[in-house]
Amino acid sequence: MTTLERLRSNLAALNLTAIDARLETLLENASKQDPAYADFLLEVMSTEADARRQRYLKTRLQLAHLPYVKTFEQFDFGFQPSIDERQIRELRTLRFVHEASNVILLGPPGVGKTHLAVALAETAIQSGQAAYFMTAHDLVTDLGHAYREGRLDRRLRIYLAPKVLIIDEMGYLPLDELGATIFFQLVSARYERGSIILTSNKSYGEWGSIFGDPIIATAILDRLLHHSTTVNIRGESYRLKERRKAGLIPRPEQQHDDSRAVAPSGRAKRTG
Ligand code: ADP
Ligand code: MG
């Protein structure tokens, strides 16, 4: 066996696939650049370590069940001036994850609540934390099934395990009594133990109508908000802007507060 063959067989035995894949390049560069022994060894080991880290992050990202992957770099803060960028910078440090405090993103449809929630989750995953994304509706449906089958406690553990739980679209659909009770249990169980990133199109004042019962709404808000940051987005839908750019909807005559949600298409047509 040549040295190269023995090297390959050792790499295979140790499952060092990334080094194996780059072996020729690594050796060629080394012969050209004549690096110090330690530098060469470092480059070889980093090849494997970096590849493993990438694989691990990819797995974490898949396990997080995100609806799409979007980052802060892809977010146009200029379009959404109601967002305090300093507050977002603070959130990006992930201190809230280490403190097990919550992030609540409020605002009308299309203003970037899910985008920001996903970007925070992605940041947490990059830093080695586990995250899990679920819509409020799917979450409560899933736990409702578990409850009826007498395995709520076991099922809850899935939503307690990740350091960051994203609950998207709270309030689009009202919860029934069981749903509200289950939601309360989840929020209580994660309280001071793991972060929740929650998005909602309803202001806190309207939460009573989500849960049907103002007492349980208060109890939930109490735990959710005790350690929390609220990001209140009052602005125009980004989706609407994109459609407007495509010429599907005419530009409004003047800037107006669009926080009441999207203008009905009939009116939009007339103003153009
Ligand atoms: P919602 O507030 O309803 O959750 P999303 O976060 O899903 O809205 O945003 C709708 C779409 O518009 C997504 O594709 C998102 O990436 C994009 N988007 C929203 N706001 C911005 C923004 N300020 N900059 C760039 N893309 C944005
Ligand atoms: Mg959304």
Side-chain angles (χ1 to χ4, degrees):
M1 260 211 263
T2 65
T3 305
L4 200 62
E5 281 165 351
R6 281 167 58 202
L7 190 50
R8 290 236 187 251
S9 116
N10 279 341
L11 291 174
L14 294 171
N15 202 22
L16 299 171
T17 51
I19 297 177
D20 192 45
R22 272 197 72 208
L23 190 60
E24 244 116 76
T25 317
L26 286 166
L27 292 173
E28 217 177 285
N29 288 352
S31 71
K32 271 192 228 140
Q33 291 158 10
D34 195 21
Y37 293 130
D39 286 332
F40 177 62
L41 196 56
L42 176 66
E43 196 189 347
V44 171
M45 300 320 282
S46 300
T47 297
E48 191 65 36
D50 292 349
R52 286 195 185 183
R53 197 180 116 82
Q54 286 310 320
R55 266 207 307 274
Y56 173 77
L57 288 177
K58 203 170 147 217
T59 308
R60 276 273 165 103
L61 215 48
Q62 280 163 353
L63 286 175
H65 195 238
L66 301 176
Y68 51 74
V69 180
K70 292 232 176 155
T71 62
F72 287 106
E73 283 69 33
Q74 290 165 279
F75 196 84
D76 177 5
F77 285 95
F79 180 73
Q80 219 53 268
S82 69
I83 298 176
D84 177 2
E85 279 192 64
R86 212 180 39 191
Q87 191 183 37
I88 301 295
R89 270 202 301 278
E90 161 63 27
L91 291 174
R92 289 177 70 172
T93 66
L94 298 180
R95 183 138 57 115
F96 78 96
V97 176
H98 301 289
E99 291 172 351
S101 99
N102 302 323
V103 179
I104 325 284
L105 298 143
L106 300 179
V111 294
K113 301 182 298 295
T114 303
H115 185 139
L116 292 174
V118 162
L120 279 175
E122 199 264 348
T123 308
I125 291 166
Q126 290 292 344
S127 88
Q129 311 282 1
Y132 194 72
F133 182 103
M134 202 72 168
T135 66
H137 180 256
D138 289 350
L139 178 70
V140 168
T141 305
D142 180 54
L143 289 174
H145 284 313
Y147 173 80
R148 278 182 222 98
E149 289 164 12
R151 48 182 185 84
L152 178 62
D153 281 348
R154 199 141 43 90
R155 192 70 192 163
L156 263 175
R157 277 185 230 150
I158 292 185
Y159 303 107
L160 299 182
K163 277 296 270 181
V164 180
L165 178 69
I166 303 101
I167 305 177
D168 197 32
E169 303 195 341
M170 189 77 211
Y172 276 95
L173 298 168
L175 299 183
D176 60 11
E177 204 183 322
L178 175 64
T181 311
I182 285 174
F183 194 77
F184 173 73
Q185 275 198 47
L186 175 65
V187 169
S188 302
R190 286 193 68 92
Y191 177 66
E192 297 188 337
R193 285 204 236 150
S195 299
I196 294 176
I197 301 175
L198 188 143
T199 82
S200 179
N201 62 336
K202 296 270 195 298
S203 65
Y204 292 131
E206 297 170 294
W207 277 45
S209 69
I210 304 177
F211 297 103
D213 173 356
I215 295 175
I216 198 150
T218 305
I220 289 169
L221 278 176
D222 192 50
R223 281 160 185 75
L224 209 53
L225 301 187
H226 183 198
H227 310 289
S228 69
T229 304
T230 300
V231 181
N232 224 322
I233 314 177
R234 291 169 305 273
E236 197 182 52
S237 162
Y238 197 80
R239 295 190 192 101
L240 190 67
K241 173 206 128 154
E242 294 204 313
R243 272 183 285 153
R244 188 171 281 141
K245 212 166 63 188
L248 298 175
I249 301 172
R251 196 166 289 281
E253 299 293 321
Q254 72 227 36
Q255 204 60 35
H256 66 283
D257 179 12
D258 198 25
S259 60
R260 286 156 297 131
V262 175
S265 55
R267 201 191 73 185
K269 268 190 207 106
R270 254 195 296 118
T271 49

